[in-house]
Amino acid sequence: MNGPACRTAAALLAFALGLSRLAAQAQQPPQLRPWGHRAVVEAAGSLAPRGAEAERVEMGTPARAPGRPQLVSLAQIWSKGAHNAFTDLARFRERWYCAFREGSDRFSADGVIRLISSPDGESWAAASVVSAPGADLRDPKLGVTPDQRLMLTAAARYLGPAETHFQTLTWFSLDGRDWAEPFKIGDPDVWLWRIRWHRGNAYGVGYSTTAERFIRLYVGPEGLRFRSVSDRMYAEATPTEATLLFNNDDSSLCLLRRDGGPGTTLFGRSRPPYRSWEWHDLGARLSGPNMIRLPDGRIVAAGLLEEARQRTVLCWLDERQATLREFLTLPSGGDASYPGLAWHQGLLWVSYHSSHEGRAAVYLARVRLPAED
């Protein structure tokens, strides 16, 4: 097999390798779990909504020791699509926006990006739908540009004999409803998974979707014209989804999912110009990774923890020790993960999808964190 047929087979194989494991697992009580050489304690077990029909559930003040994280509220904010998944969350012009993929199922070729909006995080309504002719749009991500536009990115997956099977696209909006025509960013068949803005520049890690597996760091001063900064950040054990965080001293942190080798998540550090990276194995399989720095400097990481019981979790990430410690399990199971994170009014806001109540639906959790862990 050669030519277009070979390229098609390689792209489809790469896509299949990058998809999350879907097996739904039975709920288990909190317990001590070892991650590599570290002991990890779930500070709170899974808190299921009271009835599948309830769209919003107030959790109140959990009966737990002082200083523990509290799941303040949980809401199912969208379930109208056949399959609703791969979320992200942003606050823009005093409103909340949640973006996610709608499709016939997780693997279907008809994915579009649905955006819903809320003034207060309580009541949500449809804001817009973004599509691309002939493409399945996947894994939307939201951000706010330095000049106060809402930025949406997603990967377009093209089927058939096309030369390019994946292309990252970006759209911009002034109101979250009307979107300009998309721009292609990055290289063909290199999926820029999440964009972070730092000192006026947009940075993103793209992963190859061809048979040659690697991740590449890009920078785009306007969020449009992206160029490669580090052509091979990491090229072993099938690297895929990666998210960045920047420190005040301009150093950068990276969470990297791997689908090959041991499959455990890597934590990376680099300093400008970000061409050389130091990697540490976190000893846990965290897919759909995301992270946020709190006002007090601590870092929360989130994603789907792939163990015997798959679940969406929040973890403390210690950047100095390069360790990950789970502190809260969100109500989740089966087809789940892909959290969006935001900090607002002293609470951590988390969007994510899960199928623990039936079809994959979009949830919003608000979490109160202790002053000290």
Side-chain angles (χ1 to χ4, degrees):
M1 181 170 58
N2 52 47
C6 182
R7 286 189 294 272
T8 299
L12 293 178
L13 175 61
F15 175 66
L17 287 172
L19 293 171
S20 298
R21 296 160 181 83
L22 300 177
Q25 303 294 335
Q27 296 293 321
Q28 300 175 357
Q31 57 181 300
L32 188 67
R33 291 185 173 88
W35 288 2
H37 298 290
R38 294 173 294 278
V40 183
V41 180
E42 288 188 39
S46 178
L47 300 173
R50 297 187 294 269
E53 74 283 354
E55 291 189 357
R56 187 172 191 283
V57 179
E58 283 292 344
M59 307 309 296
T61 302
R64 60 188 68 175
R68 294 289 184 90
Q70 297 178 359
L71 182 56
V72 175
S73 68
L74 174 71
Q76 186 188 101
I77 59 175
W78 195 266
S79 62
K80 295 181 180 180
H83 186 268
N84 316 271
F86 316 114
T87 80
D88 202 20
L89 183 68
R91 186 161 177 83
F92 175 68
R93 298 187 185 275
E94 303 303 317
R95 292 186 66 88
W96 289 102
Y97 289 89
C98 182
F100 51 92
R101 177 186 180 272
E102 276 189 347
S104 299
D105 58 50
R106 186 185 179 105
F107 307 103
S108 63
D110 60 356
V112 298
I113 304 306
R114 164 80 65 180
L115 287 102
I116 58 176
S117 178
S118 171
D120 53 12
E122 302 283 340
S123 58
W124 292 82
S128 56
V129 175
V130 176
S131 61
D136 165 32
L137 294 182
R138 307 193 68 86
D139 289 20
K141 300 292 183 287
L142 292 171
V144 179
T145 67
D147 61 358
Q148 294 302 300
R149 291 174 295 159
L150 190 60
M151 181 181 185
L152 169 70
T153 58
R157 177 174 68 113
Y158 299 99
L159 301 178
E163 286 291 320
T164 298
H165 294 283
F166 288 88
Q167 176 64 60
T168 309
L169 303 176
T170 185
W171 300 258
F172 295 92
S173 174
L174 294 175
D175 59 8
R177 293 183 177 274
D178 297 319
W179 295 86
E181 290 298 310
F183 292 87
K184 296 179 181 179
I185 60 174
D187 297 306
D189 293 321
V190 178
W191 187 334
L192 271 77
W193 199 67
R194 183 184 292 277
I195 301 300
R196 294 286 195 193
W197 288 88
H198 179 64
R199 301 197 187 281
N201 291 316
Y203 292 87
V205 176
Y207 70 89
S208 168
T209 60
T210 67
E212 182 185 7
R213 305 314 297 270
F214 59 86
I215 57 170
R216 176 178 293 164
L217 178 63
Y218 292 89
V219 61
E222 300 172 358
L224 293 174
R225 299 172 181 85
F226 283 76
R227 60 179 177 82
S228 173
V229 175
S230 179
D231 197 51
R232 293 290 192 276
M233 285 176 65
Y234 186 82
E236 301 174 20
T238 317
T240 58
E241 303 159 349
T243 187
L244 296 170
L245 196 63
F246 289 89
N247 292 324
N248 290 333
D249 65 359
D250 296 327
S251 61
S252 183
L253 312 176
C254 180
L255 279 181
L256 172 62
R257 171 182 173 178
R258 294 184 295 176
D259 286 348
T264 46
T265 299
L266 293 181
F267 173 66
R269 300 190 191 96
S270 184
R271 300 191 63 82
Y274 313 118
R275 295 194 181 98
S276 177
W277 287 79
E278 172 189 307
W279 296 102
H280 302 269
D281 192 336
L282 292 174
R285 300 172 67 94
L286 197 69
S287 64
N290 196 3
M291 56 181 167
I292 186 173
R293 187 181 294 280
L294 305 182
D296 62 11
R298 291 176 298 171
I299 299 174
V300 173
L304 181 71
L305 185 58
E306 297 189 47
E307 289 186 337
R309 176 170 64 89
Q310 295 191 150
R311 61 204 184 276
T312 302
V313 299
L314 301 178
C315 306
W316 294 119
L317 174 62
D318 188 324
E319 62 177 302
R320 292 195 176 120
Q321 300 297 321
T323 58
L324 195 67
R325 182 165 57 86
E326 179 185 358
F327 66 81
L328 187 65
T329 297
L330 296 174
S332 57
D335 185 352
S337 186
Y338 293 84
L341 301 173
W343 181 262
H344 181 63
Q345 294 182 342
L347 294 175
L348 179 65
W349 296 58
V350 187
S351 67
Y352 65 102
H353 83 268
S354 178
S355 64
H356 67 285
E357 293 187 295
R359 76 172 65 183
V362 177
Y363 293 83
L364 178 70
R366 293 185 300 162
V367 179
R368 180 175 291 112
L369 299 175
E372 295 181 2
D373 179 36

